[in-house]
Amino acid sequence: MNLNLHVWRQSGPQDKGRMEQIQATGISADMSFLEMLDKVNEDLIAAGQEPIAFDHDCREGICGTCSLMINGVAHGPDGATTTCQLHMRSFQDGDAIYMEPWRARAFPVIRDLMVDRSSFDRIVEAGGYVSVNAGAAPDAHANLIPKAEADLAMDAAACIGCGACVASCPNGSAMLFVAAKIGHLAHLPQGQPERARRARAMVAQMDVEGFGACSNHFECEAVCPKEIPVRFIAEMNRDFLKASLCGQE
Amino acid sequence: MNLDSKIPEGPLQEKWTKHRFDMKLVNPANKRKYRIIVVGSGLAGGAAAATLGELGYNVDCFCFQDSARRAHSIAAQGGINAAKNYPNDGDSIWRLFYDTVKGGDYRSREANVYRLAEVANQIIDQCVAQGVPFAREYGGLLDNRSFGGAQVSRTFYARGQTGQQLLIGAYQSLARQVNQGSVTMHPRTEMLDVVKVDGHARGIITRDVVTGEIQRHAADAVLLCTGGYGNVFYLSTNAMGCNVTAALKAYRQGAGFANPCFTQIHPTCIPVSSEHQSKLTLMSESLRNDGRVWVPKKKGDQRPASQIPEDERDYYLERRYPSFGNLAPRDVSSRAAKERCDAGYGVGNTGLAVYLDFADAIQRVGKDVVEARYGNLFQMYHKITAEDPYQVPMRIYPAVHYTMGGLWVDYELQTTVPGLFALGECNFSDHGANRLGASALMQGLADGYFIAPYTVGNYLAQHASLSAAGKACVDDAAFAETEAAVRDRIGRLMGVGGKQSVESFHKRLGKIMWDHCGMARNDAGLRSAIEEIPKLREEFWQDVRVPGSIEGCNPEIDKAGRVADFLEFGELMCRDALHRTESCGGHFREESQTDEGEALRDDDQFSFASVWEYQGEGVEPALHQEDLAFDNVKLATRSYK
Amino acid sequence: MNRTAKTLRSTIGAKALMAVTGVALLLFVLGHMVGNLQVFGGRDMLNKYAHTLQSLGPLLWVIRGALLAILLLHVWAALQVTRANRAARPVAYEHARQDLATSYAARTMLVSGVVVVLFLIYHVLHFTVGAVDFAGSYGGHADLDGTEVHDVYGMVIGGFKHLPTALIYVVANLILVMHIAHGAASLLQTLGFRSQANAGKVRAFGLGFGVLIGIGNLAMPLSIMFGMVGD
Ligand SMILES: Cc1cc2nc3c(=O)[nH]c(=O)nc-3n(C[C@H](O)[C@H](O)[C@H](O)COP(=O)(O)OP(=O)(O)OC[C@H]3O[C@@H](n4cnc5c(N)ncnc54)[C@H](O)[C@@H]3O)c2cc1C
Ligand code: HEM
Ligand code: FES
């Protein structure tokens, strides 16, 4: 099939950037979305033009590197998937496809469709861990954890940190990401000693990075490739408020 | 080349304890005076950087991804082994050690493997303490499952995302050290060479892939934790960015490269569907616990699976390996699939696939149970192929998955270049000629959390005077020289200005490698590959087109450098495969097989690790051998019948 | 105090402030509605209620002051949050971002809030101060058990018999209902009381609360407008 692509092109952080129209030809339905881009890039290179820069690595939907706003939807129309797992059979010959980078103050564009998501790392660095040195751990069975709790922790921990939540949020909010990180550890006994501190520190860093607030639109949940539920945001709010207002300084 | 493996004296069980005592310690107050470079932030690199930071060293950690948490360890699905013996089914450290040596087809070092088995339990403790949400039973205890070729249940897992969860654990520890100031992360930074000063590794040259800046970094020791090189085949289950660059540069700087031809082909991957395919997707091996593998009995049978009656199906794994059946080890299952397809029994439009059928399991335990066990994998398969595996059998085919070969290291994980260490998949140490399922994660974390932190200290303590505690200096002439070479190479790549894309060369290399150095190898094929690859390389350097500019972000430059390195490395792999005329583990030489088509090892001639030493551009590398002694395990023919 | 202030300036804290002030406002709206529904009980009933309120004296001013403060806090936090949200995405998407989950009410909270403020001002000027009185029904007096009191009943009936005035109340209340339907559910999430299990109930609660206020507050202008109540 042939497609009419509208792609955000921006040569670097200083460039203003613009949408560019590119024809994609000879695309087969079995291709993944990124393989379609590979093909377009090969054609661009052959034509002496610069290929489209986009982020990707594992192409299995787990590393969270790929990131595209496709026709206004983060990771495209399929739902519960990443761009790398989206296939061209979800599109039809002659379709127009708009591709844009994640848009958020805290995700500056590097080039074309690539953005800088290091703000996510800084949020985790602020406190998203259990302070245990290698070698200091008790036996793995020292703590029994009810299966239901362990499963909940895993539901949150499944987050791949792609940033689709931010991209899809009308407020550019990172609440779902931060809530998943906090929720993962809050549901485990290992996470308890630092629970209050963690919630405070991570939320504070989230604010410093310039992400928006949550207006409970739940757009994040709708596009999350790992279907992380917004219940974790409610839990984070509670943890944060409790820690900030009642916990120890 | 001095291949002193530094295996400690004494009984196997006491070697590591004894060695830890013998090693020199760095005075705690002095640790912060040392700077250590860790290249890679996967399980091996992430764990090592975090642990060294915890110990008080200054660590610089590098990865090419935009975040440490995206290293390809994240893609591991199945699980991680340990000899906890929680299920009480007779497991022990000794059994894990034994299974791993046997699984590696007796081409690994006993002492290393034993140590791996020994620290494995500690890894599980550590990960649980970090908050890794391993699967649990209703009573709150950790759940175990059996996995690829083991007869005990020793695999810990977190749904189908074990690697992700372990990596998040390591990443969070790393984040904690970043917060405390002991580790500096350098994401989106590609290491392009090792710098040696007075024969010791003293730093690296990197390229910031966002700004294009070439940078020098000096340190007292350099740890390479850069993963595997499966992408030399173009199509593999590796991430797009996986490369051999770091390891190859180390090799060119004098580090021995061991067993480059030992690659693992995983039997259960989604088959190639078109020429535009960019990568292959693994379907966790755990599927073989319930799925049955078959092909039609009739050659070229075009009927849909559902119309092929039971008695016209060939459950070839169950037929050939009655005691292991569908759970036969990876190399064995992969070859069996290839054998059927080559003989014309393959299914699907390419004929390069076999069925993995869940109909029986669904009938036996119900769709719900199957869904609970494999739901996410079924969904992934459905997404990629648009076929519903609850209705029709999956189609699978083997794909390149893991590389057992890697930089040669001694018992201390040090390469033949002093001060240069290699951890995780990028070394050769523990898996011999074939890796058992769920043991790579174990090895990466063992190396990172529990081995390198000691042995690196031992090196630093011994060479304190040499390293002058952090005074290794980027102004040294060696840095300038190496940097100039790196710049020159990038300049040359950009300057070719040819017509063919980098990608197209990679594809062509991959095809040569897969055809001649893939699942089955033979003398003639390997020889022709050794002829073809240099030609392709030459063509690359004359006709490649690297668009864009040298400044700023240009992913094509990164790709071009990696492919250029693969073009060099592929040849080394073929040479190694050609030299090893026996079949062992993942290395199957057609000349060396039993009458029934099983791999035939040649212990008399090949009971060693092949270690290649770089001799200069265009010169054949020199081969050295590290003889392997088996004092505790009896060499036997692996049989899964 | 410093700590509370700091918390309230964070994105989550500001939202929590909106939620808590929102609860107070919701209770007020509910109480206000229940009180006014006494219009259906006849002139004496409503006038008595109004008179009781007015005779609270200074206490009435305290309550009014508190309500105003709460409203101002709510509005302040709303503006704070809105500003942060706008700043979080300085460059808009070229192809409109598609909404998959949110509702019209949720997307228009600021607009509905502003309308509510304008309406409140109008409402106070109309029925409390009498400064804006299109219907000309303000200022009458009536007899209540022998005392002369403000004829609130007459004012209301007269006001809503005037079609444009009644329509202003109908439209404003519909918009208030929207604000409340999202707000009442939203505050439970903001304060951490929503979970996977009660998500449906939370939604229903918001909707229910909104509908309740809607029925109550619309019943008055509509029934009077159509002449079903009043003399
Ligand atoms: C799909 C899949 C499934 C698997 N499943 C399992 C399983 O179930 N159980 C199991 O035990 N094993 C499994 N494995 C194998 C296992 O995941 C890997 O062997 C292991 O994770 C490798 O870890 P590592 O730390 O050595 O390397 P990686 O995780 O690959 O990390 C490499 C790091 O090095 C960095 N790097 C590489 N080159 C450079 C450079 N030039 N400059 C700078 N940085 C560089 C990268 O950025 C990255 O941070 C699986 C592998 C795959 C591909
Ligand atoms: C009677 C009057 C009002 C009531 C009962 C009320 C109630 C509420 C409630 C309960 C919420 C939900 C808070 C949360 O999500 O936690 C809310 C949100 C909101 N209110 Fe009000 N409110 C009133 C007036 C106003 C006014 C006057 C404004 C003016 C600007 C306003 C603006 C907002 C906005 C913008 C939000 C959404 C904030 C967000 O989620 O981002 N409200 N309101
Ligand atoms: S490329 Fe890894 S999730 Fe898409």
Side-chain angles (χ1 to χ4, degrees), chain A residues 34 56-66 82-84 160:
Chain A
L34 298 185
H56 64 109
D57 198 29
C58 76
R59 297 208 176 180
E60 305 195 0
I62 189 72
C63 72
T65 311
C66 60
T82 52
T83 297
C84 60
I160 58 175

Side-chain angles (χ1 to χ4, degrees), chain C residues 82-192:
Chain C
T82 305
R83 186 156 5 99
N85 294 348
R86 298 244 161 106
R89 179 164 298 131
V91 182
Y93 289 108
E94 296 277 331
H95 183 293
R97 200 186 45 73
Q98 300 294 293
D99 283 321
L100 305 175
T102 188
S103 62
Y104 184 73
R107 271 182 289 145
T108 53
M109 285 302 270
L110 186 66
V111 179
S112 58
V114 168
V115 171
V116 169
V117 165
L118 294 177
F119 170 67
L120 279 179
I121 295 171
Y122 164 72
H123 180 54
V124 168
L125 290 178
H126 178 200
F127 280 159
T128 314
V129 184
V132 181
D133 183 10
F134 304 123
S137 65
Y138 184 82
H141 290 269
D143 176 81
L144 178 73
D145 301 333
T147 12
E148 190 177 274
V149 295
H150 278 290
D151 185 9
V152 173
Y153 182 79
M155 172 180 79
V156 171
I157 301 288
F160 291 162
K161 287 228 147 116
H162 181 252
L163 193 66
T165 304
L167 279 180
I168 292 178
Y169 276 80
V170 169
V171 171
N173 270 290
L174 283 173
I175 290 170
L176 175 67
V177 164
M178 260 186 9
H179 196 87
I180 289 176
H182 176 70
S186 179
L187 74 90
L188 292 171
Q189 167 83 359
T190 302
L191 296 178

Side-chain angles (χ1 to χ4, degrees), chain B residues 25-319:
Chain B
L25 298 174
V26 178
N27 176 335
N30 281 339
K31 284 188 180 138
R32 67 192 147 76
K33 295 189 190 150
Y34 289 104
R35 184 160 286 282
I36 299 172
I37 283 174
V38 177
V39 187
S41 62
L43 289 185
T51 309
L52 290 164
E54 286 162 8
L55 288 174
Y57 296 107
N58 286 305
V59 181
D60 281 295
C61 183
F62 298 80
C63 68
F64 64 75
Q65 289 92 349
D66 69 337
S67 164
R69 72 191 294 286
R70 304 202 205 279
H72 196 51
S73 293
I74 206 155
Q77 303 170 345
I80 175 165
N81 284 335
K84 284 279 191 186
N85 194 29
Y86 285 151
N88 198 26
D89 54 1
D91 202 4
S92 62
I93 291 176
W94 192 269
R95 187 179 291 280
L96 175 55
F97 151 71
Y98 188 93
D99 286 354
T100 308
V101 173
K102 176 185 169 200
D105 219 0
Y106 309 97
R107 290 296 173 261
S108 50
R109 217 186 261 151
E110 276 190 346
N112 283 55
V113 177
Y114 189 85
R115 175 178 63 185
L116 175 64
E118 207 178 341
V119 300
N121 288 344
Q122 255 180 299
I123 297 174
I124 302 301
D125 299 342
Q126 180 64 25
C127 294
V128 168
Q130 288 170 338
V132 171
F134 284 123
R136 293 193 177 251
E137 293 165 357
Y138 282 101
L141 296 170
L142 291 159
D143 190 21
N144 285 130
R145 64 178 170 205
S146 71
F147 203 74
Q151 286 174 314
V152 289
S153 287
R154 59 160 75 104
T155 305
F156 295 79
Y157 64 101
R159 296 203 185 133
Q161 290 129 275
T162 318
Q164 179 200 25
Q165 293 310 312
L166 296 175
L167 185 62
I168 289 175
Y171 162 74
Q172 292 181 338
S173 292
L174 193 60
R176 174 170 162 246
Q177 292 311 308
V178 172
N179 185 41
Q180 298 187 350
S182 54
V183 176
T184 309
M185 264 316 297
H186 303 263
R188 292 210 200 253
T189 307
E190 184 136 330
M191 171 201 143
L192 293 179
D193 215 338
V194 182
V195 180
K196 277 194 322 187
V197 178
D198 300 331
H200 287 245
R202 280 289 167 267
I204 59 173
I205 304 291
T206 61
R207 178 170 181 278
D208 180 324
V209 303
V210 173
T211 62
E213 205 183 325
I214 306 286
Q215 292 157 328
R216 308 172 184 183
H217 303 270
D220 301 290
V222 176
L223 278 59
L224 298 185
C225 316
T226 48
Y229 49 82
N231 273 352
V232 67
F233 291 93
Y234 185 70
L235 286 180
S236 81
T237 65
N238 283 4
M240 304 303 286
C242 291
N243 63 80
V244 74
T245 298
L248 187 80
K249 292 300 147 75
Y251 161 76
R252 289 174 64 113
Q253 294 282 2
F257 207 111
N259 303 328
C261 80
F262 285 175
T263 39
Q264 179 166 80
I265 315 276
H266 196 289
T268 53
C269 300
I270 300 178
V272 178
S273 68
S274 80
E275 55 173 320
H276 296 297
Q277 191 121 2
S278 59
K279 80 151 269 156
L280 295 170
T281 303
L282 179 80
M283 289 277 102
S284 169
E285 188 160 35
S286 60
L287 289 171
R288 288 199 281 144
N289 285 332
D290 283 306
R292 297 178 70 194
V293 176
W294 63 277
V295 291
K297 277 187 179 159
K298 210 169 79 198
K299 235 184 221 185
D301 197 334
Q302 293 296 327
R303 288 175 293 176
S306 59
Q307 284 169 27
I308 303 181
E310 197 56 34
D311 61 348
E312 289 179 41
R313 299 175 175 193
D314 177 13
Y315 294 91
Y316 60 87
L317 283 177
E318 295 168 24
R319 167 168 63 77

Side-chain angles (χ1 to χ4, degrees), chain B residues 564-579:
Chain B
D565 291 334
F566 280 134
L567 280 165
E568 213 170 299
F569 181 72
E571 187 183 340
L572 182 68
M573 274 178 79
C574 293
R575 281 192 194 286
D576 187 44
L578 179 67
H579 172 263

Side-chain angles (χ1 to χ4, degrees), chain A residues 42 45 89 111 121 160 184, chain B residues 69 131 171 384 501 545 553:
Chain A
E42 285 295 284
I45 293 172
R89 61 181 86 89
R111 183 178 173 179
D121 289 307
I160 58 175
H184 160 203
Chain B
R69 72 191 294 286
Y171 162 74
I384 293 176
S501 70
R545 169 179 290 176
C553 170

Side-chain angles (χ1 to χ4, degrees), chain A residues 194-248:
Chain A
E194 295 167 287
R195 183 168 176 177
R197 203 194 74 78
R198 179 181 308 121
R200 281 204 310 260
M202 292 179 75
V203 170
Q205 187 63 34
M206 169 180 91
D207 288 352
V208 168
E209 298 293 348
F211 290 105
C214 176
S215 295
N216 304 327
H217 294 293
F218 304 162
E219 290 297 324
C220 50
E221 187 183 66
V223 298
C224 176
K226 296 296 151 186
E227 300 180 287
I228 294 175
V230 290
R231 66 168 287 170
F232 290 112
I233 300 184
E235 294 175 10
M236 168 178 70
N237 290 345
R238 203 163 49 202
D239 269 17
F240 171 77
L241 292 169
K242 213 161 89 187
S244 304
L245 299 171
C246 332
Q248 278 171 7

